[in-house]
């Protein structure tokens, strides 16, 4: 009878160790996922700012080309 009891005890210990290991792996995966989200968010914000800057530059170029830019204040009347 002691052999069965020992086997149950060892099986229980093994199951407990497996649960702890699973929890550790899940926590690690969750942390890695969170870090990935943060990095992606920073990349998207930086890209958005670059696009905004490029659009502003294009707007200024068009305004200057058609004479509506800040530096094009001609006061001649035709």
């Amino acid at each position: 009878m002691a052999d069965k009891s020992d086997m149950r005890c060892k099986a229980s210990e093994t199951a407990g160790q497996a649960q702890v290991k699973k929890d550790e792996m899940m926590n690690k995966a969750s942390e890695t996922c969170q870090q990935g989200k943060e990095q992606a968010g920073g990349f998207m914000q930086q890209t958005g700012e670059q696009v905004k800057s490029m659009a502003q530059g294009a707007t200024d170029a068009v305004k200057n080309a058609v004479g509506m830019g800040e530096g094009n204040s001609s006061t001649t009347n035709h």
Side-chain angles (χ1 to χ4, degrees):
M1 288 284 181
D3 289 337
K4 286 184 181 181
S5 180
D6 267 353
M7 290 176 74
R8 286 184 189 143
C9 184
K10 287 181 182 179
S12 179
E13 287 176 14
T14 301
Q17 290 171 353
Q19 179 68 36
V20 168
K21 188 68 173 175
K22 180 195 76 126
D23 291 345
E24 290 173 355
M25 297 293 282
M26 292 299 291
N27 286 339
K28 179 73 173 168
S30 178
E31 290 171 5
T32 301
C33 182
Q34 184 62 35
Q35 289 173 352
K37 285 181 183 179
E38 291 170 2
Q39 289 176 353
F43 173 76
M44 293 301 289
Q45 181 177 359
Q46 183 180 13
T47 301
E49 290 171 2
Q50 289 173 345
V51 169
K52 181 180 175 182
S53 177
M54 290 171 60
Q56 185 62 49
T59 301
D60 291 343
V62 170
K63 284 182 179 179
N64 288 333
V66 297
M68 294 175 53
E70 291 181 19
N72 294 333
S73 57
S74 60
T75 57
T76 58
N77 292 335
H78 293 288

